[in-house]
Amino acid sequence: MNRWLLGFIFIFGCHVQKNNPVHLSGPSIIGGTLVTESDPIHRFTVGLYDKKTRFVCTGSIISENLILTAAHCIESSPENIIIIFGLDFSAYDSNQLKSLRMAHSVHVHPNYKTENVSDLNWNDLAIVQFLGGLPEGYRPIEILKNSNLLKSGTAVQIAGYGATGVDLEEVSFKKDKKFKQGLASGEIICHDKNFNHCYRISFLGTDQLRSAPAYIEGFTEKEIRMNESKGHGTCVGDSGGPLIYQSENTLNLIGVTSRGSLFCDGPAIYTNAVEYLDWIERTAVELK
């Protein structure tokens, strides 16, 4: 994607050096709390790690062998994607095979937009099929079928394994190799192509599952807009994670984390899973 800060939208994936994992303390998923084993969110939320690209994402279990996540989380072939079941990524770090599954196939939405990232309605969805079944204690979450229950102001929950905070350090433009490498990797971000107001950006505290309350701000045709400027929101590594609606004691999946503001403190966009229910169900049947 374009590394310039020309718009507010930023993809929420996260590159992490897994042989030196980060476990920093912080305020949590941006204003949330650590998920415990007694929390039902734990039973349907998983981590996704691409061992080739080191891309960290989040996903939701929608059947005994299928994970729903964001299309932009899929950067390489299925054999590189590992599904991690647990409250953190310790199962991967210690090679606990009982809590790990390998992806068998990946199905990205056929209309996923990868070019014009300024558009709305990206169709940012993918289904990951894995082998080996669910570990004990895990179960699928159902997608909400009645979209009439969702309105502006509706209380929801967000969850993911992403960063808990952002550190910024303003840096001056330099015509040297190190600065250019920082721009290429996304470590350094500038407001425009004239290299005005450049920052070295670091995301803190990935790899632990957290959740937070939030409120729906509005809708587009197939996406849900949230305002994360009040201290609760998703950040890098939370891509593909669940947006959850609760009715009495029942939790339903309504959205998938897609993208948001660069510093995780402004508008954020979630793919509206309810609007894609036909595609999700049809694809699930094809994979049986």
Side-chain angles (χ1 to χ4, degrees), residues 148-168:
N148 293 328
L149 296 173
L150 305 180
K151 298 177 175 61
S152 296
T154 298
V156 293
Q157 288 179 282
I158 52 179
Y161 292 86
T164 65
V166 182
D167 271 356
L168 298 176

Side-chain angles (χ1 to χ4, degrees), residues 15-125:
H15 290 274
V16 176
Q17 180 70 43
K18 288 306 300 166
N19 58 12
N20 185 22
V22 178
H23 294 290
L24 302 179
S25 62
S28 58
I29 189 181
I30 308 297
T33 57
L34 286 168
V35 173
T36 64
E37 288 189 358
S38 62
D39 192 325
I41 290 176
H42 160 244
R43 303 186 187 281
F44 57 78
T45 308
V46 298
L48 299 176
Y49 177 63
D50 189 320
K51 60 184 180 181
K52 180 179 180 180
T53 63
R54 299 172 183 167
F55 209 57
V56 170
C57 276
T58 304
S60 300
I61 303 167
I62 58 171
S63 81
E64 293 296 318
N65 67 336
L66 297 178
I67 303 296
L68 184 66
T69 188
H72 77 262
C73 288
I74 310 303
E75 289 202 326
S76 64
S77 55
E79 60 266 23
N80 294 315
I81 299 174
I82 298 172
I83 297 97
I84 301 168
F85 296 83
L87 298 175
D88 54 36
F89 274 26
S90 60
Y92 180 84
D93 299 333
S94 58
N95 198 30
Q96 297 174 22
L97 298 181
K98 290 184 179 180
S99 298
L100 303 176
R101 299 291 186 270
M102 300 296 297
H104 175 66
S105 64
V106 173
H107 295 259
V108 173
H109 193 281
N111 296 323
Y112 168 56
K113 294 179 181 179
T114 59
E115 298 297 330
N116 191 351
V117 296
S118 64
D119 286 350
L120 295 175
N121 302 318
W122 285 20
N123 307 298
D124 192 6
L125 285 180

